[in-house]
Each structure stands twice: as C-alpha cells, then as structure tokens.
Amino acid sequence: GTITCLEFYGTAHLLSGAEDGLICIWNTKRWECLKSIKAHKGHVTSLSIHPSGKLALSVGTDKTLRTWNLVEGRSAFIKNLKQNAHIIKWSPDGERYVTVTTNKVDIYKLDTASITGTITTEKRVSSLRFITDSILAIAGDDEIIRFYSCDSQKCLCEFKAHENRIKDIYSFEKEGQHVIVTASSDGYIKMWSLDLNKIKDVPSLLCEVNTKARLTCLAVWLDQASEMKENSDKAATSSQANEDEKSSIVRKNKVFWTDKSDKTVKRKRKITPEKQKLEAPLRKKKKKWNSSA
C-alpha cells in the first residue's frame, strides 16, 4: 500500500504506516523489516512514537486510536473515535498527546487517556508541532500560523507566514534559539526565530527560499555529528592544531628521507677505496666501447 506516514526513533529504527493498514518497524542499518503489525482495518493515517520508545500511537480510517507496546510488538489499547483522525502527536515530555480531526484538535492526558481540552480552528488543520510541552503551533489550510496553550486552549499569537496554504511546520532548538520552519503551497520554505519569553510577539523571519515547487511536506535534518566536531575543533586552539600538523609532516618526512639516506650511505660504505681503483679501468673501457659503437 501507499506509504502515508514515517517517523524515526533515534538513528536505529524507523516506523512506517501505509494504506494497507500495516505498521512496519525497520532497522536503518540494513533496512530490514523487523516486524509488520496489522494496525488498522482501513488506512493508517498517522503515527507517533513516545519519547521513551516503548509506546506508539496510531490513527486510521477505521475511526480508532490505537496504542502499541513496541517492546512486545502488540496492541495495548484501542479507543473508538467519532470521526477519522488524520494527525496524532506526542508532546516532548510524553505526558500528553493530541489528535486532529479536520479542524478540531483534541488534547489527551496520558494518565487518564481522556480529553482534557479541545482547540477548534476555522479551517482544516494541515500540520501541528509542539513548541514546548504546553505550547502548540498549528498550521491550517490558510496562510496563518497560530500558537495555542494546551492548558487553557487559548490562542497566544497568530501571524501571516505565507501567501498560500501552509502544508507543514517543524520546530527545533539550536544554541538556545527556538526556530520554526514552514512550507507552503506557494513554494516557499521559511525559517522563523521564536522568543518564548515573548510568545505573544510575532516571530522574526530568519531566511526564506523559493523552491518553485508545490510543497506538500517538510522534514528537517540536524547534523549533530558535524556540530559536535565543529565545537570540538573550536575548543582546540588553531596554533596547537598547526603545531600538530607540522610535527606530523616532519615525522613523515623524517622517516621517508632517513630511510632513503641510510640506504644510500650503506651502499656507499660498501664501496671501498681498493674497489674503486679496480672499477676505474673497467669504467674507462666501457666508455670507450660505447663511444666506438
């Protein structure tokens, strides 16, 4: 069936959901399917992995919300929904989760598995993202991004981000700065800087790029390995690095040239003065033969 949702857990595993109702768990080293679970009678529309990696949630076109025990690979809980949900998402702390049905966002508490609040928007919700454990960024089928409080369900801020429908939204934190990334049908990808201490203020635009394509989804990859390397390189002084490099080159050159010169010296030492006297007439004869030829 057509793939409908993907989510990584760490760097070793990937979960996929599809229109055939299956959730597959993949090993990312060999890209082998470790387990295939018949999750829903209809399509799997969305899935989300708990921060602990022990649980996963999924929703499908069979009007059910299912909790999965990933340790044992079996169903843990099934909840019937009144309508088909097309998005499900865990909060960063794993204490709550949300489901999206058309233009309605239901907020659940993990302890009770019951709805603690509902956020209703004017148009269909296309994407949402937890900025913090209690603040949601919601993008719908319009040009507006809205920040909501999960506790009070009130809109904290809203601003026009694009000229067309916003299809996807992503957020991350880097060097203490909260960044929001948005993708729209207008072809633009934009990055915004968000100050959580001034959540009611409109985020400032950091950069944008026109892809000249009709965007439908967005993913952000943070190169943690290169970031760690960059930080470690900064910690080491450039002068020390230069000294190490110079000493390395000197060692290499010293070994190379020493070996070669030693062999040359040894060869020269083998030729004694007596031997030179004996070889002189032979060299003269050889030179004479070559010139006559």
Side-chain angles (χ1 to χ4, degrees), residues 104-140:
K104 188 174 69 172
V105 180
D106 289 326
I107 304 166
Y108 290 81
K109 196 75 174 174
L110 175 62
D111 297 339
T112 59
S114 60
I115 298 174
T116 60
T118 300
I119 298 169
T120 304
T121 60
E122 292 182 4
K123 295 189 177 182
R124 183 181 184 273
V125 176
S126 57
S127 180
L128 60 77
R129 186 82 181 178
F130 276 95
I131 304 300
T132 66
D133 295 324
S134 60
I135 298 176
L136 270 174
I138 298 178

Side-chain angles (χ1 to χ4, degrees), residues 90-93 96 129-137 148-151 156 171 173 178 194 196 199:
W90 282 105
S91 64
D93 60 2
R96 66 181 97 194
R129 186 82 181 178
F130 276 95
I131 304 300
T132 66
D133 295 324
S134 60
I135 298 176
L136 270 174
Y148 284 89
S149 168
C150 291
D151 300 321
L156 304 175
S171 69
E173 185 179 353
H178 286 268
L194 175 65
L196 292 178
I199 190 66

Side-chain angles (χ1 to χ4, degrees), residues 65-82:
L65 186 162
R66 298 177 184 247
T67 307
W68 302 96
N69 182 333
L70 295 181
V71 177
E72 299 178 6
R74 61 176 180 82
S75 176
F77 184 74
I78 301 174
K79 180 179 179 62
N80 292 319
L81 303 175
K82 294 180 180 179

Side-chain angles (χ1 to χ4, degrees), residues 21-271:
L22 294 178
I23 290 178
C24 295
I25 304 172
W26 304 86
N27 180 325
T28 60
K29 291 182 179 179
R30 297 183 179 180
W31 294 109
E32 293 177 336
C33 183
L34 301 177
K35 190 172 183 65
S36 180
I37 304 169
K38 182 61 180 176
H40 292 269
K41 294 178 181 178
H43 303 168
V44 180
T45 53
S46 180
L47 62 85
S48 184
I49 306 171
H50 190 269
S52 67
K54 296 180 180 180
L55 294 173
L57 296 172
S58 67
V59 287
T61 54
D62 56 359
K63 296 182 182 179
T64 61
L65 186 162
R66 298 177 184 247
T67 307
W68 302 96
N69 182 333
L70 295 181
V71 177
E72 299 178 6
R74 61 176 180 82
S75 176
F77 184 74
I78 301 174
K79 180 179 179 62
N80 292 319
L81 303 175
K82 294 180 180 179
Q83 292 179 284
N84 291 326
H86 63 277
I87 298 175
I88 190 160
K89 189 81 67 178
W90 282 105
S91 64
D93 60 2
E95 293 297 319
R96 66 181 97 194
Y97 56 92
V98 296
T99 61
V100 180
T101 305
T102 314
N103 65 329
K104 188 174 69 172
V105 180
D106 289 326
I107 304 166
Y108 290 81
K109 196 75 174 174
L110 175 62
D111 297 339
T112 59
S114 60
I115 298 174
T116 60
T118 300
I119 298 169
T120 304
T121 60
E122 292 182 4
K123 295 189 177 182
R124 183 181 184 273
V125 176
S126 57
S127 180
L128 60 77
R129 186 82 181 178
F130 276 95
I131 304 300
T132 66
D133 295 324
S134 60
I135 298 176
L136 270 174
I138 298 178
D141 282 352
D142 54 16
E143 309 87 17
I144 310 296
I145 291 178
R146 297 175 176 87
F147 299 139
Y148 284 89
S149 168
C150 291
D151 300 321
S152 64
Q153 294 88 51
K154 290 183 179 180
C155 182
L156 304 175
C157 174
E158 66 176 51
F159 64 99
K160 183 178 178 179
H162 290 269
E163 297 299 325
N164 209 326
R165 292 184 300 175
I166 299 169
K167 300 298 291 184
D168 211 348
I169 184 171
Y170 197 92
S171 69
F172 63 90
E173 185 179 353
K174 188 179 179 73
E175 298 176 355
Q177 183 182 27
H178 286 268
V179 179
I180 298 173
V181 191
T182 58
S184 169
S185 296
D186 61 11
Y188 276 89
I189 296 173
K190 296 185 179 183
M191 294 181 70
W192 309 81
S193 176
L194 175 65
D195 188 350
L196 292 178
N197 296 322
K198 300 176 181 178
I199 190 66
K200 293 184 179 181
D201 294 345
V202 175
S204 58
L205 181 65
L206 292 173
C207 59
E208 62 180 24
V209 60
N210 186 3
T211 64
K212 297 180 181 179
R214 185 180 175 273
L215 302 174
T216 57
C217 59
L218 170 76
V220 175
W221 176 63
L222 301 175
D223 188 2
Q224 295 178 350
S226 65
E227 187 178 345
M228 289 174 62
K229 183 178 183 298
E230 184 181 345
N231 292 336
S232 63
D233 289 345
K234 287 179 181 178
T237 61
S238 59
S239 60
Q240 183 64 42
N242 290 336
E243 287 297 323
D244 293 342
E245 187 177 356
K246 286 178 182 177
S247 61
S248 175
I249 293 172
V250 169
R251 283 196 299 272
K252 289 179 181 177
N253 290 343
K254 190 176 180 182
V255 171
F256 176 77
W257 291 111
T258 302
D259 290 346
K260 192 172 182 180
S261 58
D262 285 349
K263 289 177 182 177
T264 306
V265 170
K266 288 177 182 178
R267 283 198 295 269
K268 286 182 179 179
R269 283 174 183 171
K270 289 179 182 178
I271 304 172

